[in-house]
Structures are given as structure tokens and as C-alpha cells.
Amino acid sequence: MVKSFIHKGLEKFYRTGSKAGIQAKHSDKLRRILIHSKVKS
């Protein structure tokens, strides 16, 4: 479970799916990591 974010762009990506604030080429990998961390807890 994700409790908080230090990186504002990553938080925005997590909450809305917006790629503003992160490198677009990293979005697929970040999505997999965030989904895995959400399911795991």
C-alpha cells in the first residue's frame, strides 16, 4: 500500500495517470511497480 509520495510527478501519475512530471518512457515500468505495490499490501 502506498502511504505517501515524495515525488509530486509520481504521485500525480499514480492518482490520475498523467505523465506530466515523469519521463514518459518510464511510465510502463512505473505503472507495473505501482500496481504490484498496491496489490501486495
Side-chain angles (χ1 to χ4, degrees):
M1 174 186 213
V2 178
K3 293 184 179 183
S4 65
F5 289 91
I6 295 173
H7 192 282
K8 290 181 183 179
L10 188 57
E11 180 178 10
K12 188 174 182 180
F13 178 68
Y14 177 75
R15 298 194 189 283
T16 67
S18 172
K19 295 178 187 174
I22 64 167
Q23 292 186 30
K25 66 181 181 180
H26 294 156
S27 65
D28 290 335
K29 185 175 184 178
L30 289 171
R31 182 172 284 116
R32 287 193 306 269
I33 291 169
L34 291 170
I35 288 170
H36 181 66
S37 67
K38 188 175 180 181
V39 171
K40 191 174 184 178
S41 50

